[in-house]
Amino acid sequence: MTRRHAVVVGAGIGGLSVAVALHRRDWDVTVCERAAAPSAVGAGIVLAPNALRAFDAIGFDAARATGHAAPAAMDLRRPGGRLLSRADCAALTARYGRPPLAVHRPSLSAALAAELPEGALRYGTAVTAVDDADDVHGRPVVHTSAGALTADVVIAADGIHSPIRRRYFPAHPGLHHSGETAWRTVLAAGGPPVRAATETWGRGERFGVVPLADGRVYVYATAVVPEGHRPVDVRAELLRRYGTWHDPIPALLDRIDPEAVLQHDLYDLAAPLPRFHQGRLAWLGDAAHAMTPNLGQGGCQAVEDAAVLAHLLEGTDVRAALAAYSAARCARTDALRVRSRRAGRVAALTHPLAVAARDLAVRATPARATRRALDDLFAFDGFGLPE
């Protein structure tokens, strides 16, 4: 039997995950990435239990590849340090089978890339167009800066600004700005130990601290600011906003290298896509269902996409498999997109009375209600492979 060929557009977490999954199912895989080389600078990612189960389905052991450590707890606090809520990771492990795993994104990408055969991952190769995806009798042609490729399936994992999405869904309203910007960086190991993951909510500002599996610390911050706001002095901006917040935030800010800080305005899709496929072309991850990071599920949903898509592509009818992929993924991912947007609005409140009411509501929320909310994300009935 002739081996089938998949072209994956984009070498992010989702693109690499689906490439590994298809390679292990005896597909020939080509991953086209416009960047000239993998970036050593990057943020962290928390792989929730649902993403780890999706990696299990792919056959990739994320913990073995990146480290086994997990934070002792995940705390939500006020700027003065007052605890609003706590999720104990031992309890999460007992309920969902494993704790969340926090890792450095570039390390995870490198581990996934190492699973691919030599020559499959092509950096410095920009995709300019995908033709003939709807041709019932032919195969799609992927036009790249290095020449044309013919494929049995094309997977657009080309990110939140996906040019392929814009071409095939020209009437879609595109992206919606959340009203916030985010700063992210990873600090080297060696400072005072950070054992708990913490997110601290102020008035229109948040600060997060996540210990990574390799001993480094991922820190992030968000603020309600106009779209395109870029401070001249990043360190001064962060110190002004968060420098008086509870420990260990001031000490972590002292360790930040401004040159290693990433800043991105936060967007999601303004409306859901009508489907995640077109003929022999499929969208995956942010290209399909970009969501704000408020639930920590953007990358996790990309891994779920990869596991489901590769599973369905084990069949011989590619077009039917992609239609089944849309049916399996559209509702879940859009529900999370909407839920994440709503969560962000609550976290980003700025009026003092609204903030006080929010914090009181969080502290008063019964544990069983919190568990139900997490069950929708992490439990076995959240993610699973379709029949």
Side-chain angles (χ1 to χ4, degrees):
M1 180 177 175
T2 303
R3 287 168 63 94
R4 295 180 291 176
H5 181 212
V7 174
V8 180
V9 185
I13 300 300
L16 291 172
S17 296
V18 75
V20 170
L22 290 174
H23 168 61
R24 293 190 172 176
R25 288 162 174 78
D26 295 323
W27 283 71
D28 288 328
V29 178
T30 303
V31 182
C32 298
E33 169 54 51
R34 69 170 59 247
S39 174
V41 176
I45 180 172
V46 177
L47 299 173
N50 57 302
L52 295 172
R53 283 200 301 278
F55 271 136
D56 288 344
I58 289 170
F60 176 77
D61 188 339
R64 182 179 60 82
T66 60
H68 290 264
M74 294 187 293
D75 293 343
L76 180 61
R77 295 184 179 273
R78 292 282 296 133
R82 185 177 188 181
L83 185 67
L84 295 176
S85 69
R86 167 169 288 176
D88 181 79
C89 283
L92 293 178
T93 302
R95 190 170 183 85
Y96 305 117
R98 65 192 71 192
L101 179 67
V103 301
H104 191 214
R105 272 183 181 265
S107 298
L108 178 60
S109 295
L112 286 165
E115 299 291 321
L116 295 173
E118 185 176 356
L121 178 51
R122 303 182 184 180
Y123 284 100
T125 305
V127 170
T128 56
V130 178
D131 292 335
D132 302 328
D134 286 320
D135 189 336
V136 175
H137 303 292
R139 300 165 72 204
V141 178
V142 181
H143 299 277
T144 82
S145 55
L149 299 167
T150 303
D152 294 285
V153 67
V154 180
I155 301 168
D158 53 342
I160 190 169
H161 299 286
S162 172
I164 300 175
R165 182 185 67 225
R166 290 199 301 269
R167 176 185 172 186
Y168 279 87
F169 296 102
H172 187 272
L175 298 178
H176 160 264
H177 181 233
S178 69
E180 293 182 277
T181 196
W183 297 273
R184 301 178 176 96
T185 194
V186 172
L187 306 179
V194 177
R195 293 184 173 85
T198 304
E199 185 165 287
T200 303
W201 288 2
R203 292 173 50 192
E205 296 173 332
R206 286 177 281 171
F207 198 96
V209 180
V210 182
L212 301 183
D214 60 4
R216 288 180 284 186
V217 180
Y218 168 42
V219 298
Y220 61 90
T222 71
V224 175
V225 296
E227 188 175 11
H229 169 81
R230 294 294 181 271
V232 174
D233 187 331
V234 172
R235 180 188 293 279
E237 177 85 352
L238 296 177
L239 285 170
R240 179 181 68 81
R241 290 181 178 275
Y242 313 102
T244 61
W245 288 22
H246 66 81
D247 292 333
I249 293 173
L252 294 172
L253 288 173
D254 286 342
R255 296 172 53 197
I256 283 178
D257 174 6
E259 297 299 318
V261 175
L262 305 174
Q263 182 180 354
H264 297 96
D265 292 339
L266 299 181
Y267 299 90
D268 61 5
L269 283 191
L273 292 182
R275 60 192 176 280
F276 291 170
H277 76 288
Q278 183 82 18
R280 288 175 175 263
L281 169 63
W283 285 265
L284 180 149
D286 282 348
H289 46 69
M291 60 187 71
T292 53
N294 301 301
L295 300 180
Q297 280 290 310
C300 295
Q301 290 304 304
V303 179
E304 284 193 13
D305 289 347
V308 170
L309 182 53
H311 170 73
L312 291 169
L313 282 170
E314 288 185 302
T316 57
D317 188 335
V318 170
R319 297 169 69 89
L322 299 194
Y325 165 69
S326 277
R329 297 300 297 158
C330 283
R332 173 165 168 81
T333 55
D334 193 58
L336 292 178
R337 178 188 67 85
V338 172
R339 182 173 163 187
S340 185
R341 180 185 290 187
R342 290 173 177 166
R345 287 173 177 165
V346 171
L349 290 170
T350 58
H351 192 283
L353 293 179
V355 169
R358 174 198 69 191
D359 294 350
L360 180 61
V362 170
R363 293 183 64 221
T365 300
R368 63 182 179 276
T370 302
R371 284 195 299 270
R372 283 198 301 270
L374 292 178
D375 283 350
D376 291 343
L377 297 177
F378 300 161
F380 288 90
D381 56 358
F383 164 72
L385 296 178
E387 297 294 332

